[in-house]
Amino acid sequence: MLIDWDVPIEMNDGLVLRADVFRPNDGERHPVIMSHGPYGKGLAFQDGFPAMWRNLETEHPDALAGSSNLYQNWETVDPEKWVPDGYVVIRVDSRGAGRSPGYLDIFSPRETRDYYDCIEWAAVQPWSTGKVGLLGVSYYAVNQWQVAALQPPHLAAICPWEGSSDFYREFTHHGGILNIFCQQWYPGQVASVQYGVENPARSRVTGEPVAGPEVLASEELAKNAADTVAELRNHPLLDEYYRERTPDLSAITVPVLSATNWAHHLHTRGGFEGYAGVAGEQKWLEVHGLQHWVEFYTDYGVALQKRFFGHFLRGEDTGWSDQPPVFVHARRVDGTFERRGETAWPLDRTQWTKFHLDVEGATLAPDSDSVERSTEFDAAGDGLTFWTSPLLQEMELMGPASASLRVSSSTTDADLFLTLRVQDPDGRDVRFTSAIDPAGGIAFGWLRASRRKTDPDRSLPYRAWHTYDERQPLTPGAPVDVEVEIWPTSVIIPAGYRLGVSLLGRDFEFPGDGPWPVVTGVPLRGNGVFVHTDPHDRGSQEYAGTTTLYSGGAHPSYLLLPVVPAAPSVPRRSSD
């Protein structure tokens, strides 16, 4: 394997980015696998993300087998597993990050245009066949949607692995409510490797600083980076700031393998919406579980990626022509998965089923109460929970979900947090390993009532499309009807278990005294670090009033859930 460090790539405005290029030592031309982002291409996975690395070492050793792991880098491919198969692997430090100078502005139009220029540069190099594929996790997936929408001529295929495709609805605001992820994530993963930062980590291979080589004064560093956290607070509604960072999915025509996770508060929805929204007919959806980095590196994930890119970049018969359009890992309550192929998303055989919130009995009922009733809850308290009776037979849920609710508030606004729950016969909550949280919830939905406006042309019966472009304050005590989007989920619920939903005015937390794992100061109690506690967004007493739920009569409140009957003709097997 030949390695070229810090290769210069000139952008259309004259700025030079730096890339590491790993390629076969055979003098031949090969297709390219590229990633582009701000995490520092020289920062070893083991050094930058030791806890995640230990997870692979101890629980998924196949992810690290067959490689020296000398060139492993967070959320990008291992060159030692791709170059021997005839690929050129390129990692680019984005503008203002790592070894690339310039103004750091995450997910900005300038950054996306840079990615376009990098793709076109790689396509005309003497070692390139002219076909470029994009592959990576999270940030390195989000910007695939962005740049593919610009239609670089030499972009041949993309595999966004767990990447949001809507900057407002998924990455920054859930139901119009600001989540604190950016302020938790940015200092440790982005600012720490900004170009010119003092005393950055050093590459295990070259010994060079992963950010620089210049060292800039703190004043210069501040001038060279956008204040993303402040921008999010300054733009509470979906305006041009978010639109220019959200791709036009209908402009994407290249082959797409969208791989997503059932339980990622940033990326789950984006994988499904990306798959549905792209214009090209050559598109596939894969859905898995576990932590968000795991399956990207396992033998399963790498084999899937190689079959996709082998077909579209190398023209090989990898069996991809037989790949089902949708491939899912259905979640069982014991933590195992049932792998199967499907023909469409949502699944063709979905039975959209209403579960009515019975206020009088605190139950999820098959029919609505004939009488309208109401009940109150403290927006800062434990909210309301509704349960079914123990199930008489196994029930599978798989797909997007929604809630139609009638509510009022003692103030001019109310935040609504919905959490789907499953309990075993002993009353213990079922929890799944999620993208971040070792004991995550089943599914979540959010909505700020003043941002309840929907676009009827883009809404679906099972997924309202909120515009988030204006504020419609509540009149205290006056009820309104709202539609709450619940992100896609999967769970196979055994007989004897109960299905429930909790409705709160704050983030749901699993009951109990812990101890709870803590990441960046946030106790992990079902939502990971994706909580909604920003004082600039939720500090007002508007969100600390009394909320009233109405149900029954002419205004039933209910969940619409994707109940999936078994498909006897589809082979099934259980797998860890």
Side-chain angles (χ1 to χ4, degrees), residues 373-420:
R373 307 177 195 274
S374 65
T375 186
E376 299 178 346
F377 63 93
D378 179 356
D382 294 334
L384 306 172
T385 298
F386 302 84
W387 293 103
T388 64
S389 300
L391 300 181
L392 299 178
Q393 58 187 18
E394 179 181 275
M395 180 173 67
E396 177 175 353
L397 302 179
M398 181 180 287
S402 66
S404 296
L405 306 176
R406 188 168 178 83
V407 297
S408 67
S409 173
S410 62
T411 70
T412 56
D413 212 342
D415 284 346
L416 304 174
F417 294 77
L418 275 81
T419 301
L420 293 188

Side-chain angles (χ1 to χ4, degrees), residues 25-367:
N25 186 13
D26 58 9
E28 302 294 324
R29 295 177 181 266
H30 299 281
V32 172
I33 298 291
M34 178 177 279
S35 58
H36 169 273
Y39 289 167
K41 61 183 175 56
L43 180 61
F45 188 153
Q46 302 93 316
D47 296 337
F49 304 87
M52 290 73 166
W53 184 261
R54 286 194 300 272
N55 168 258
L56 294 181
E57 280 186 313
T58 58
E59 298 184 29
H60 308 281
D62 62 301
L64 308 182
S67 171
S68 74
N69 297 305
L70 190 59
Y71 310 105
Q72 286 277 22
N73 184 242
W74 174 242
E75 297 184 335
T76 66
V77 303
D78 180 358
E80 290 186 87
K81 292 192 176 183
W82 286 82
V83 172
D85 286 353
Y87 293 92
V88 177
V89 172
I90 302 178
R91 296 171 177 157
V92 186
D93 277 339
S94 57
R95 183 177 298 236
R99 306 279 289 184
S100 295
Y103 186 76
L104 175 57
D105 188 4
I106 61 171
F107 300 121
S108 64
R110 176 67 261 179
E111 190 178 86
T112 305
R113 174 63 207 209
D114 288 348
Y115 204 172
Y116 179 109
D117 290 347
C118 291
I119 291 167
E120 293 306 296
W121 171 85
V124 298
Q125 299 309 301
W127 32 255
S128 171
T129 62
K131 289 189 174 183
V132 179
L134 309 181
L135 177 59
V137 186
S138 191
Y139 201 108
Y140 301 104
V142 175
N143 59 16
Q144 290 182 51
W145 299 116
Q146 292 179 301
V147 73
L150 300 185
Q151 299 183 347
H154 290 93
L155 181 60
I158 65 171
C159 179
W161 196 279
E162 300 197 34
S164 62
S165 56
D166 189 312
F167 192 59
Y168 185 91
R169 293 177 177 86
E170 296 154 9
F171 204 90
T172 64
H173 291 73
H174 294 142
I177 309 167
L178 179 64
N179 78 73
I180 67 167
F181 172 74
C182 273
Q183 56 193 272
Q184 299 292 314
W185 155 77
Y186 191 94
Q189 287 189 227
V190 181
S192 63
V193 288
Q194 182 182 348
Y195 180 88
V197 72
E198 187 176 5
N199 296 322
R202 290 185 174 268
S203 165
R204 285 191 170 196
V205 183
T206 67
E208 293 292 320
V210 302
E214 286 185 279
V215 176
L216 303 178
S218 57
E219 296 81 4
E220 191 70 15
L221 284 172
K223 289 179 183 178
N224 282 354
D227 188 343
T228 300
V229 173
E231 291 288 359
L232 299 184
R233 290 170 173 165
N234 292 336
H235 295 267
L237 297 177
L238 200 167
D239 58 15
E240 188 60 25
Y241 177 80
Y242 300 99
R243 283 192 287 271
E244 68 181 12
R245 287 165 170 76
T246 297
D248 176 4
L249 296 170
S250 68
I252 298 176
T253 57
V254 295
V256 175
L257 169 58
S258 176
T260 193
N261 190 308
W262 294 119
H264 199 306
H265 280 32
L266 294 185
H267 302 317
T268 292
R269 182 184 188 274
F272 292 104
E273 291 294 327
Y275 170 76
V278 298
E281 294 184 359
Q282 292 182 304
K283 58 181 182 179
W284 291 263
L285 175 68
E286 187 272 353
V287 198
H288 52 266
L290 302 179
Q291 299 92 335
H292 81 275
W293 59 88
V294 168
E295 293 290 21
F296 181 79
Y297 292 99
T298 63
D299 286 347
Y300 161 78
V302 173
L304 183 73
Q305 298 154 19
K306 286 185 176 180
R307 286 200 299 114
F308 174 72
F309 285 112
H311 181 87
F312 287 108
L313 298 190
R314 300 182 59 83
E316 298 172 342
D317 181 7
T318 64
W320 193 257
S321 352
D322 299 324
Q323 178 73 12
V326 176
F327 191 77
V328 298
H329 294 62
R331 298 190 296 188
R332 289 196 171 276
V333 298
D334 62 358
T336 61
F337 297 91
E338 190 176 274
R339 296 181 179 178
R340 61 174 185 259
E342 298 286 352
T343 57
W345 183 266
L347 307 191
D348 288 328
R349 62 189 187 281
T350 303
Q351 296 176 350
W352 299 102
T353 305
K354 291 182 179 179
F355 292 77
H356 292 269
L357 278 60
D358 186 320
V359 167
E360 186 175 38
T363 61
L364 285 180
D367 301 304

